[in-house]
């Protein structure tokens, strides 16, 4: 790793559109591991994913997610980028600060707009400070300084970095940012040969329960397919859009993604996608959308037009485990919330975020809150893991 943090030729630029930077230039920082044609570690920070959000109108004017992409250059060479947005609300973030906003505004401050370094609507851990190999220290330092300077110059209340890696969280705290720890439920692949091998690691009661759930789901009267790449056809998105709208309207009031996003996904992202479709009497009735990373499967959306017992668990959790084992992936990240995932082999794991708050008094108060929250999260993870579904003689392997 080359530390160029003192190099005077570094410049930071703010872009309002990904049309202003070549895909190859962005991806050389976002996913250098995929230059050889392999999968990116994180499909969500690729140029193609972020541009699909932008081109589809899922972010941009009227959404409360205003693109402010950061680009760091050393002379003519782009060495770091970050997906940053101006936010006029806190929707679609999944590491929420609604209470902070309420307290700040209750004291007479103006919390919005703020800055957010994140992948919109995507509670999946990955690098947020996207640096070209050899420029990790200099690139992250310049991105942090650039984001904070932009916030300060525009008299914004705060800047937030959500679902960053643990290494970024530690480095960011050393740079003076506030570090936050929350949790999600992830499934870990301990070299299982197949689903039965995973079941063998569970207690007898949990193992029997999962078998019953899978049997009930498979008995819904139709077929369950896992589709990837060119197996996915435009009509599958027609069906999934109906599922997504139903779930989005119930969870958020208005779905975050537009119909055009799924059209863009079909054109540029389907090799990154694993789509579970449940069909009965020739009619799609439920589905789950996953994204495939180099080492993890990311569960994102589920929806249905018919309710069938245990079909949600099958489509979202068990089909994902099956695919992760088949592809040799190390983990399944099943998204936000859901202690019901614990009984199905998904254990609590830390998630990380970083925060800059302009008002020092308010920053001190938030810092004290975060210290207490971290202790509570650590205790919660310890308790939940102890109550996990794994056999006691296998428990230490999963902690």
């Amino acid at each position: 790793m080359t530390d160029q943090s003192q190099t005077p030729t570094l410049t930071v630029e703010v872009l309002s559109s990904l049309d202003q930077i070549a895909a190859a230039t962005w991806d050389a920082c976002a996913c250098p591991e995929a230059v050889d044609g392999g999968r990116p570690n994180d499909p969500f920070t690729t140029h193609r994913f972020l541009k699909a959000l932008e081109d589809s109108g899922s972010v941009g004017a009227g959404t409360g997610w205003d693109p402010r992409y950061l680009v760091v250059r050393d002379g003519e060479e782009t060495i770091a980028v970050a997906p940053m947005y101006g936010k006029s609300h806190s929707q679609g973030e999944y590491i929420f600060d609604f209470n902070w906003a309420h307290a700040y505004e209750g004291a007479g401050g103006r919390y919005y707009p703020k800055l957010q370094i994140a992948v919109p609507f995507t509670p999946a851990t990955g690098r947020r400070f996207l640096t070209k190999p050899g420029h990790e220290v200099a690139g992250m330092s310049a991105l942090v300084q650039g984001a904070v300077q932009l916030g300060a110059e525009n008299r914004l209340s705060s800047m937030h970095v959500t679902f960053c890696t643990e290494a970024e969280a530690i480095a960011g705290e050393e740079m003076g940012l506030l570090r936050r720890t929350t949790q999600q439920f992830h499934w870990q692949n301990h070299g299982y040969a197949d689903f039965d091998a995973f079941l063998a690691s569970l207690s007898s009661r949990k193992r029997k329960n999962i078998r019953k759930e899978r049997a009930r789901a498979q008995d819904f009267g139709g077929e369950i397919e896992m589709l990837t790449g060119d197996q996915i056809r435009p009509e599958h998105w027609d069906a999934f859009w109906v599922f997504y709208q139903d779930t989005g309207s119930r969870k958020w009031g208005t779905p975050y993604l537009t119909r055009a996003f799924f059209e863009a996904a079909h054109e540029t992202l389907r090799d990154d996608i694993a789509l579970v479709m449940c069909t009965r009497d020739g009619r799609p009735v439920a589905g789950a959308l996953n994204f495939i990373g180099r080492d993890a499967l990311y569960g994102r959306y589920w929806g249905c037009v018919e309710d069938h017992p245990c079909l949600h668990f099958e489509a979202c959790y068990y089909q994902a485990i099956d695919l992760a084992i088949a592809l040799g992936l190390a983990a399944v990240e099943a998204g936000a919330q859901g202690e019901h995932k614990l009984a199905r082999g998904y254990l609590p794991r830390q998630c990380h975020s970083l925060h800059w708050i302009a008002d020092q008094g308010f920053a001190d108060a938030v810092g004290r809150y975060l210290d207490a929250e971290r202790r509570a999260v650590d205790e919660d993870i310890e308790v939940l893991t102890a109550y996990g579904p794994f056999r006691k003689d296998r428990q230490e392997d999963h902690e």
Side-chain angles (χ1 to χ4, degrees):
M1 182 183 299
T2 301
D3 184 354
Q4 297 184 358
S5 56
Q6 302 304 314
T7 302
T9 57
L10 294 187
T11 59
V12 181
E13 186 178 358
V14 181
L15 307 181
S16 60
S17 172
L18 285 174
D19 289 333
Q20 297 169 286
I21 184 170
T25 302
W26 179 279
D27 287 344
C29 299
C31 52
E33 70 281 355
V35 171
D36 60 359
R39 290 194 184 279
N41 290 334
D42 178 0
F44 305 114
T45 53
T46 60
H47 190 276
R48 59 183 177 272
F49 183 89
L50 296 170
K51 195 167 190 303
L53 291 176
E54 186 182 316
D55 289 349
S56 66
S58 299
V59 301
T63 68
W65 289 83
D66 227 359
R68 293 290 183 269
Y69 309 109
L70 290 177
V71 177
V72 179
R73 295 189 176 92
D74 183 359
E76 297 297 316
E77 181 185 10
T78 297
I79 67 164
V81 297
M84 189 169 75
Y85 301 83
K87 292 294 306 294
S88 60
H89 54 65
S90 292
Q91 301 292 339
E93 296 171 11
Y94 298 97
I95 294 179
F96 293 120
D97 57 354
F98 294 116
N99 291 338
W100 303 0
H102 180 74
Y104 194 70
E105 292 178 350
R110 183 184 178 209
Y111 195 74
Y112 304 106
K114 62 178 184 175
L115 293 175
Q116 194 87 17
I117 294 179
V119 178
F121 329 122
T122 307
T125 293
R127 289 191 305 134
R128 296 296 173 259
F129 302 100
L130 309 174
T131 57
K132 187 179 286 189
H135 299 275
E136 290 87 349
V137 174
M140 180 174 176
S141 177
L143 289 168
V144 169
Q145 291 177 42
V148 169
Q149 183 176 338
L150 187 66
E153 288 177 349
N154 288 276
R155 298 185 177 181
L156 303 184
S157 70
S158 53
M159 185 275 294
H160 310 265
V161 185
T162 43
F163 293 98
C164 60
T165 66
E166 182 177 16
E168 288 176 325
I170 293 170
E173 187 174 38
E174 292 173 352
M175 295 178 192
L177 302 179
L178 297 171
R179 178 170 60 91
R180 187 177 192 182
T181 302
T182 53
Q183 66 168 315
Q184 284 183 342
F185 292 85
H186 298 171
W187 179 83
Q188 301 291 317
N189 186 355
H190 293 276
Y192 301 119
D194 52 28
F195 196 89
D196 283 339
F198 158 61
L199 287 181
S201 70
L202 305 182
S203 67
S204 175
R205 185 168 62 87
K206 296 299 184 184
R207 184 164 60 243
K208 290 177 181 177
N209 184 65
I210 289 176
R211 284 184 173 141
K212 286 180 181 178
E213 287 185 346
R214 296 207 79 174
R216 290 192 74 187
Q218 295 287 347
D219 198 34
F220 83 104
E223 298 179 345
I224 301 174
E225 291 183 284
M226 176 69 78
L227 307 171
T228 60
D230 291 339
Q231 295 173 324
I232 303 172
R233 301 187 301 273
E235 56 265 32
H236 292 131
W237 294 118
D238 292 336
F240 193 80
W241 172 245
V242 176
F243 307 152
Y244 174 72
Q245 279 188 301
D246 177 69
T247 301
S249 61
R250 284 187 286 106
K251 278 191 172 183
W252 316 303
T254 302
Y256 293 140
L257 300 174
T258 65
R259 179 65 180 87
F261 173 82
F262 296 99
E263 294 173 4
H266 185 74
E267 293 300 318
T268 64
L269 299 171
R270 65 181 183 270
D271 286 341
D272 301 321
I273 287 173
L275 183 65
V276 179
M277 292 298 290
C278 307
T279 306
R280 192 169 70 88
D281 297 329
R283 173 176 175 253
V285 298
L289 176 63
N290 306 272
F291 280 81
I292 309 169
R294 177 168 286 216
D295 208 33
L297 186 69
Y298 302 90
R300 291 303 304 114
Y301 300 107
W302 146 269
C304 64
V305 294
E306 292 181 2
D307 290 322
H308 294 279
C310 302
L311 192 57
H312 171 257
F313 300 144
E314 175 67 25
C316 293
Y317 307 139
Y318 303 141
Q319 288 284 322
I321 290 173
D322 275 336
L323 182 61
I325 291 173
L327 296 179
L329 302 178
V332 178
E333 294 193 19
Q337 303 173 340
E339 289 190 4
H340 60 278
K341 298 169 186 172
L342 184 67
R344 293 161 184 93
Y346 290 73
L347 294 183
R349 292 288 184 266
Q350 288 185 343
C351 296
H352 304 278
S353 59
L354 291 164
H355 308 269
W356 168 81
I357 295 174
D359 184 278
Q360 189 58 53
F362 190 57
D364 291 341
V366 169
R368 290 191 294 272
Y369 166 80
L370 294 181
D371 287 341
E373 184 185 46
R374 272 196 302 275
R375 290 192 294 271
V377 168
D378 288 344
E379 291 173 3
D380 199 33
I381 288 176
E382 184 176 355
V383 170
L384 288 171
T385 300
Y387 280 97
F390 294 93
R391 291 177 1 215
K392 296 306 179 185
D393 62 324
R394 300 288 298 272
Q395 189 68 38
E396 288 186 3
D397 295 338
H398 300 86
E399 292 179 353

